[in-house]
Every structure is written in C-alpha cells, then in structure tokens.
C-alpha cells in the first residue's frame, strides 16, 4: 500500500516539473523576442536569373518599430563595404527601428579592381543595377518603409571619401541624409555630379514616395575604419525622427 507521504511527494514533484517546463518555455519565448526572429529569405535564385541572386535579411532590430531598408550589392566590386553592413547590423541590440537588408549578389561579370576597365565600364555594375531595378525596387516600394539606404564604395576620386547624399535635389531624403551627416564625425553630406545607379533604384524610390539616399565608403579604407564609419551610419539612421 502507498503511504500518504509518498503520494504528497509525487504530487509535489509533478507540480515542480510543471513549473520548470513553464519557466523554460517562457524563457525561450523571451529569447525569440530578443533575437527578433531575424530570418534570411531568397527572393531570386540563380536558376531563374543568370546574372546573380537576391536575398533579404528581414526583421533586424525592433520588430514593432518603423521599417527601414538597406540595400547592398548594386555594384559588386564594392562588396567589402557591403559585407561590413551585413556583419554589423544584424548583431546590434536596442535598435529603435526594424531593418531589412536586401543583398544583391552578382555572379556574372563581377570584374576586379585594376582590370584596366574604367570603373563605369565594368559590366557587373550593370548586372547589379538591373537586379536592383527588377527585384529590389518593387519590394521596397511596396514594403511600408520610411527610408531606404543604398550602400556603395568609391575609389577615392571624389572630393570626399566617406559621405551620404540623396540623388534628388530636395525632399525628405535630402533632410534625412543631412541629419545623418550632422550626427556623424566621419561622414559628410556630399552629392557627386551624377550617379550611374540612381535611375535603377534610388531616384524612382524618391519619386514614388520612399525617401532613399546613398552611403559611400572609401573602397580601400582598412576594415576597422570601415567598421567605425558603418557604426556611425547605423546609429545616426537609428536616431532619425520619422
Ligand atoms: Zn557604387
């Protein structure tokens, strides 16, 4: 015959295990919110597009915050700067806004620095611009974003090496880029005379209600400098008021 005490102990054990399970599942729910359910999605793979692929890392930062899109890979040779954003942004905590990073990965005619081509003749640039126009533009246009930032780098032929600018003369994108520059020690507002990629992404975004500006880094800056500048950009963007 089972003693009363034994029954009590068994009941206690059951209650304790039930509580433990509840606590464990609560904790894992918390963890999910902390990591914000960041996920990576393939928008285009190379079976239907020979010039490259397009992916997006979604839901970085505050999942309930306003939404901002970053774009990398429009010009494939500038990938050191692109990788810097993809390395840093998804690991940042306490962000105010919710970020998606669109990643264009040109696989055809990427080219290389010193190939004798003028930077603008590199055919990989056109492939990236086409992928941006065809796949990234409609996603951002219809994605309920407050702002889009197109990340590039340059070989140092401009007046400034690290800068932001809008491809249009006036509007919210000009204001936002100016505010970012004002809040960054190493980033200036400087608009070059023309952009090759503007007509494929940032200009039509601006013209259709989504403010979009460029971030330009110096291609040959050391990695620690690229990191420092990118963190300045990320934090200044995260402190904009919409
Ligand atoms: Zn570029």
């Amino acid at each position: 015959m089972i003693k009363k005490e034994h029954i009590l102990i068994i009941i206690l054990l059951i209650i304790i295990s039930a509580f433990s399970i509840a606590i464990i599942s609560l904790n894992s729910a918390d963890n999910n919110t902390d990591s914000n359910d960041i996920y990576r999605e393939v928008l285009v793979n190379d079976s239907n597009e020979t010039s490259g692929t397009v992916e997006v890392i979604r839901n970085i930062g505050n999942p309930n915050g306003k939404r901002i899109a970053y774009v990398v890979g429009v010009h494939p040779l500038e990938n050191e700067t692109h990788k810097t954003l993809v390395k840093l942004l998804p690991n940042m905590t306490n962000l105010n806004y919710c970020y998606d990073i669109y990643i264009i990965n040109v696989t055809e005619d990427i080219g290389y620095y010193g190939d004798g081509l003028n930077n603008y003749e590199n055919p990989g640039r056109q492939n990236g611009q086409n992928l941006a126009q065809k796949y990234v533009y409609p996603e951002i246009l219809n994605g309920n974003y407050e702002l889009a930032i197109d990340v590039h780098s340059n070989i140092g032929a401009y007046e400034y090496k690290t800068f932001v600018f809008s491809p249009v003369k006036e509007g919210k994108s000009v204001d936002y880029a100016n505010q970012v520059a004002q809040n960054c020690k190493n980033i200036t507002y400087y608009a070059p005379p023309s952009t090759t990629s503007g007509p494929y992404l940032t200009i039509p975004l601006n013209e259709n209600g989504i403010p979009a500006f460029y971030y330009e880094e110096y291609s040959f800056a050391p990695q620690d400098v690229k990191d420092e500048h990118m963190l300045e950009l990320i934090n200044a963007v995260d402190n904009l008021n919409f």
Side-chain angles (χ1 to χ4, degrees), residues 1-11:
M1 206 182 139
I2 305 172
K3 285 185 188 168
K4 243 185 183 173
E5 289 90 340
H6 286 164
I7 294 173
L8 269 177
I9 288 169
I10 289 166
I11 291 171

Side-chain angles (χ1 to χ4, degrees), residues 75 78 125 152-153 216:
H75 293 153
E78 298 159 12
R125 290 169 66 92
H152 288 249
S153 72
E216 280 276 356

Side-chain angles (χ1 to χ4, degrees), residues 74-75 78 82 119 125 129 151-154 196-197 214 216:
V74 173
H75 293 153
E78 298 159 12
H82 306 152
N119 190 28
R125 290 169 66 92
Q129 288 169 179
V151 174
H152 288 249
S153 72
N154 63 85
T196 43
S197 62
Y214 285 91
E216 280 276 356

Side-chain angles (χ1 to χ4, degrees), residues 17-222:
S17 347
F19 267 105
S20 315
I21 290 167
I23 287 167
I24 288 167
S25 50
L26 268 179
N27 272 344
S28 60
D30 272 358
N31 285 341
N32 279 342
T33 349
D34 284 351
S35 65
N36 297 336
D37 296 327
I38 296 175
Y39 62 100
R40 195 164 174 142
E41 184 186 339
V42 176
L43 294 179
V44 187
N45 62 35
D46 52 12
S47 62
N48 48 26
E49 193 55 72
T50 56
S51 63
T53 62
V54 182
E55 290 174 90
V56 53
I57 303 175
R58 291 199 194 275
N59 225 22
I60 299 162
N62 173 8
N64 305 313
K66 290 182 174 170
R67 291 161 57 79
I68 297 175
Y70 277 94
V71 182
V72 299
V74 173
H75 293 153
L77 274 188
E78 298 159 12
N79 64 75
E80 294 298 329
T81 302
H82 306 152
K83 283 186 216 153
T84 306
L85 177 76
V86 173
K87 173 185 76 176
L88 293 174
L89 182 59
N91 291 310
M92 293 190 64
T93 52
N94 299 320
L95 291 165
N96 292 318
Y97 300 125
C98 184
Y99 297 89
D100 295 341
I101 308 177
Y102 290 86
I103 303 169
I104 297 167
N105 180 32
V106 172
T107 51
E108 192 172 83
D109 297 327
I110 301 169
Y112 57 94
Y113 286 117
D115 57 6
L117 289 175
N118 174 318
N119 190 28
Y120 296 101
E121 294 164 353
N122 172 291
R125 290 169 66 92
Q126 190 58 53
N127 288 338
Q129 288 169 179
N130 292 342
L131 290 167
Q133 182 180 45
K134 199 166 162 191
Y135 302 108
V136 178
Y137 173 67
E139 287 277 331
I140 296 182
L141 189 65
N142 301 309
N144 194 25
Y145 294 106
E146 301 290 327
L147 172 66
I149 301 138
D150 189 5
V151 174
H152 288 249
S153 72
N154 63 85
I155 56 169
Y158 298 120
E159 207 172 317
Y160 295 92
K161 286 181 172 155
T162 308
F163 51 96
V164 285
F165 70 98
S166 167
V168 297
K169 292 267 181 287
E170 53 190 26
K172 283 182 179 174
S173 63
V174 179
D175 298 342
Y176 294 152
N178 265 306
Q179 284 174 45
V180 164
Q182 276 161 23
N183 290 312
C184 293
K185 206 172 78 185
N186 296 294
I187 303 173
T188 312
Y189 189 102
Y190 165 70
S194 70
T195 71
T196 43
S197 62
Y200 299 89
L201 184 66
T202 52
I203 292 175
L205 283 175
N206 277 302
E207 287 173 347
N208 290 284
I210 311 289
F213 69 74
Y214 285 91
Y215 171 65
E216 280 276 356
E217 174 59 294
Y218 179 44
S219 301
F220 309 116

